[in-house]
Amino acid sequence: MSTTDTSGTTDTSGTTEQQESLGEAGAQLSTAPIDDRAETTVVGGPTLGVIGWIRWFWRQLTSMRVALILLFMLSLGAVPGSLVPQTSVDELKAQAFKDAHKTLTPLYEKLQFFDVYSSVWFSAIYILLFVSLIGCIVPRSWQFVGQLRSRPPGAPKRLDRLPAYTTWRTGAEPEQVRAAALTLLKGHRFRAHTAGNAIAAEKGYLREAGNLAFHVALIVMLVAFAWGQLFKSEGGKLVVEGDGFSNTLTQYDDFKSGSQFGIDELEPFSFRLDAFDGTYEKSGPQRGTPRTFEAKVSYTQGGTDKKAVIRVNEPLKVGDSKVYLIAHGYAPVVTVKDGRGKVVFHGAVPLLPIDNNITSTGAIKVMDGYRDKKGDKDQLGFSALFVPTFAGEGKGTMFSQFPGLDYPVLALTGYRGSLGVDSGLPQNVYQLDTSKMTQFKIEKGTGFAERLLPGETMTLPDGAGSITFEKGVKEWASFQISQQPGNGLALAGAIAAIAGLTGSLFIQRRRVWVRAVRGEDGVTVVEMAGLGRSESAKLPEELGDLAVALTADAPPAPDAVPEDVRDDVPPGAERQAVPDADPEDVPEPAEEPAEDPAPSGEADK
């Protein structure tokens, strides 16, 4: 049999008398499971059967040590999901990674590194952690409820063996001292009651409540994560100034959702991008850094028209949906005429940035309505490179020097032939497939491409038509529209976890006993002692403060303090405290001679 000291460690060196002296008083300061390994093993070897092994496995799984290991493994398993592009997040980026790393790709695919959060091994860790936390919390919760319903245990036989202890003699009656102690302890928010000739009190239940709240909050966060993955929806949409978006599946540029999400659950609303405002630092080391980055929109919900401004980290909230501003770029306005001078295309063409100064690339496709000078049907395609601030001729390659529209230039390379849109295969609208097209050779520019300023026109050879870079350059904004039903639950779990962890770290569970009995000489002897779940210098201090407060109703007897030191003792009790010591380590007090008992104060001294 073993006893547990105040630091939470197991000590088998105590004598039977010492163990019996603490008795129930030192038990159940924690809801930690009791170590019963002796029940499952014998000297001759293990005697576990099938049921025994199941019980052993369950105890290991529901132990706090295994829960912490699983939590660490879960965080470690999320590292590949942060470093390797995920197919569920950006399929194009994941494919580009695979194309660039031919050697690693087969290994990563076997390890499911491109779908970490839906992989078998990540799900296994997730489920085991979930089961471990539940199996750990449920029995501890029932045990904690039982402790709340029960009274603090009675005082041990030897209070002087507890970590904090003080005693004095008083002229007050024992009943009067106990009544005053009961009132005092209740006034300090202790749960107290009279147990025989002593007052038993306990305080700090919020420590264990905080511990349980922390682990319950972890379960809440895991549930929120799973709920969000099953019922989420997320899509992206690029909108040019003056254009709009309606929250239907066909309007999205890309869309993904959880397995339990239904399309009919999309929030019914629409919005229009009225204008995008972007300003940038023009000088200094922060040149080019965005200062204003906001999209002004008009949106409709339930037949009501409203206006709003969407900024980074300030989304538009419409019902259960949130509209985030995630990117910005330029859409040059171009006009294309065919060989007969008829306008076959006119509009803003959004181009995608490739650097922080918004050097942008894209494609212009003319699929229908085009005819050459002979009247024959054909298709045109233009590879476009746009810079909002051009450095000028002879000043390097054509890359933007600044993200603002200070000197816009559009470089175009023209092609004619089949765009491949009739093949039935999906195409990227920002890329041009020139495998079945012929490149135009023009007189200006490089012979194949030409740089245009706003208002300039590039004439195609052989009467194939022309393309004009109009003076108006529109801006576009990219939005992410998402429904995340588990976010609020996850936030509540995170707050509860922090609050619970704070309580479990800074609140100490402790017990205090006050015994008042009449001595052989008829003078009342008062003993006070405290026992905490863990070592703390505050326990002796708190006990001393309580003792000083109790001396108001139980003042020390005049003969309790020797005359030579009486002036040095502050008003109140003469205290004896052994802070942060194990009860077993407190030395036995010397036996007092029966014929000439020493005064209590001198013995304590």
Side-chain angles (χ1 to χ4, degrees):
M1 182 176 179
S2 65
T3 59
T4 303
D5 64 14
T6 57
S7 64
T9 58
T10 302
D11 180 15
T12 58
S13 61
T15 63
T16 304
E17 179 184 356
Q18 291 171 335
Q19 296 169 0
E20 293 177 352
S21 67
L22 287 179
E24 187 184 1
Q28 296 183 351
L29 274 176
S30 168
T31 57
I34 299 175
D35 188 359
D36 57 356
R37 287 174 293 182
E39 299 179 3
T40 58
T41 58
V42 294
V43 177
T47 58
L48 295 177
V50 175
I51 303 300
W53 278 111
I54 293 176
R55 291 180 61 190
W56 178 86
F57 177 78
W58 176 252
R59 286 171 183 159
Q60 297 302 315
L61 180 61
T62 57
S63 65
M64 193 57 60
R65 177 181 58 189
V66 172
L68 292 175
I69 293 174
L70 290 172
L71 188 62
F72 174 74
M73 291 177 62
L74 191 71
S75 60
L76 192 65
V79 173
S82 303
L83 300 178
V84 180
Q86 299 297 290
T87 304
S88 60
V89 176
D90 193 333
E91 188 173 355
L92 294 177
K93 185 178 291 187
Q95 186 59 46
F97 183 91
K98 293 177 182 180
D99 295 339
H101 301 83
K102 298 292 186 181
T103 304
L104 289 176
T105 295
L107 176 62
Y108 281 7
E109 287 180 339
K110 290 181 179 179
L111 295 175
Q112 298 179 296
F113 278 3
F114 295 107
D115 297 281
V116 168
Y117 303 109
S118 59
S119 63
V120 174
W121 56 270
F122 190 87
S123 300
I125 298 174
Y126 185 89
I127 294 173
L128 285 174
L129 177 61
F130 192 84
V131 173
S132 176
L133 289 175
I134 293 178
C136 179
I137 289 172
V138 170
R140 293 181 66 139
S141 298
W142 282 114
Q143 186 174 349
F144 181 61
V145 170
Q147 292 181 15
L148 291 177
R149 298 178 62 183
S150 62
R151 288 185 170 188
K157 182 169 60 177
R158 297 289 301 273
L159 288 178
D160 57 350
R161 297 189 177 188
L162 297 184
Y165 173 78
T166 183
T167 183
W168 72 93
R169 291 154 55 88
T170 180
E173 295 296 323
E175 295 79 4
Q176 179 185 351
V177 175
R178 290 194 290 268
L182 182 64
T183 303
L184 173 66
L185 291 171
K186 287 185 176 180
H188 284 74
R189 299 188 301 277
F190 278 84
R191 293 179 59 197
H193 70 104
T194 302
N197 60 3
I199 302 298
E202 189 168 3
K203 189 178 183 181
Y205 289 92
L206 287 179
R207 177 189 180 95
E208 189 63 26
N211 188 22
L212 294 173
F214 171 73
H215 293 93
V216 170
L218 290 182
I219 294 179
V220 171
M221 293 173 66
L222 291 175
V223 171
F225 177 77
W227 184 271
Q229 291 298 312
L230 291 174
F231 294 93
K232 75 173 183 177
S233 70
E234 187 176 276
K237 179 63 178 179
L238 186 150
V239 183
V240 180
E241 287 178 324
D243 292 344
F245 166 79
S246 179
N247 194 25
T248 59
L249 184 61
T250 57
Q251 290 279 301
Y252 283 95
D253 294 333
D254 58 86
F255 182 84
K256 57 181 179 292
S257 63
S259 59
Q260 300 300 315
F261 181 83
I263 301 301
D264 56 344
E265 297 178 24
L266 288 172
E267 192 74 30
F269 72 93
S270 61
F271 69 87
R272 179 170 57 89
L273 178 60
D274 297 328
F276 182 89
D277 292 334
T279 60
Y280 307 89
E281 188 68 36
K282 291 185 175 294
S283 60
Q286 298 294 323
R287 186 175 187 271
T289 302
R291 295 306 180 196
T292 304
F293 204 78
E294 58 186 29
K296 298 178 180 179
V297 299
S298 301
Y299 69 98
T300 302
Q301 182 189 22
T304 303
D305 296 333
K306 299 179 182 179
K307 291 185 177 295
V309 177
I310 305 176
R311 300 181 179 90
V312 177
N313 297 326
E314 295 182 17
L316 170 64
K317 299 179 182 179
V318 185
D320 295 332
S321 297
K322 291 184 179 180
V323 182
Y324 294 89
L325 175 63
I326 59 174
H328 156 258
Y330 295 103
V333 180
V334 298
T335 301
V336 180
K337 296 182 180 180
D338 63 7
R340 300 173 299 173
K342 179 182 177 181
V343 176
V344 292
F345 179 85
H346 175 78
V349 181
L351 304 178
L352 300 183
I354 59 174
D355 60 22
N356 292 333
N357 288 324
I358 318 186
T359 301
S360 306
T361 63
I364 303 170
K365 302 178 182 181
V366 181
M367 297 174 286
D368 300 320
Y370 173 80
R371 295 178 182 270
D372 59 18
K373 63 179 182 179
K374 298 180 180 179
D376 296 332
K377 292 183 178 181
D378 205 351
Q379 294 180 338
L380 294 181
F382 299 89
S383 177
L385 177 64
F386 175 79
V387 291
T389 302
F390 183 46
E393 295 287 348
K395 295 185 179 180
T397 57
M398 185 172 167
F399 283 91
S400 180
Q401 308 297 310
F402 187 73
L405 278 174
D406 291 347
Y407 188 5
V409 174
L410 178 64
L412 297 171
T413 303
Y415 299 84
R416 68 183 303 171
S418 174
L419 292 169
V421 295
D422 300 328
S423 62
L425 299 176
Q427 282 192 350
N428 190 330
V429 296
Y430 304 104
Q431 294 180 349
L432 187 65
D433 182 4
T434 61
S435 59
K436 297 181 180 180
M437 305 188 77
T438 302
Q439 186 175 3
F440 286 112
K441 181 174 178 59
I442 59 177
E443 297 179 358
K444 298 181 180 180
T446 63
F448 294 98
E450 184 175 348
R451 294 171 180 168
L452 302 178
L453 297 175
E456 293 184 345
T457 300
M458 180 176 76
T459 302
L460 302 177
D462 302 327
S466 65
I467 180 169
T468 301
F469 177 22
E470 304 293 348
K471 292 185 177 181
V473 177
K474 293 187 176 183
E475 300 186 50
W476 59 260
S478 182
F479 300 94
Q480 177 180 292
I481 301 92
S482 64
Q483 289 183 225
Q484 298 283 353
N487 285 352
L489 190 62
L491 177 61
I495 295 175
I498 294 174
L501 184 62
T502 302
S504 65
L505 291 176
F506 295 101
I507 298 176
Q508 185 186 21
R509 181 90 172 270
R510 65 269 194 200
R511 288 170 178 167
V512 172
W513 293 273
V514 181
R515 176 178 286 147
V517 295
R518 194 178 302 279
E520 295 180 358
D521 56 356
V523 179
T524 300
V525 178
V526 182
E527 290 182 293
M528 293 186 69
L531 176 65
R533 176 178 174 180
S534 59
E535 296 181 359
S536 174
K538 293 183 179 180
L539 180 61
E541 295 177 4
E542 183 178 30
L543 187 71
D545 294 338
L546 291 172
V548 170
L550 185 58
T551 56
D553 295 290
D559 61 345
V561 183
E563 294 182 357
D564 57 343
V565 297
R566 187 171 299 169
D567 296 337
D568 298 331
V569 178
E574 178 188 3
R575 297 184 294 169
Q576 173 184 341
V578 186
D580 298 333
D582 189 280
E584 310 295 341
D585 298 332
V586 180
E588 293 281 351
E591 294 187 0
E592 301 172 357
E595 65 279 5
D596 186 20
S600 176
E602 294 181 4
D604 295 337
K605 186 71 176 177

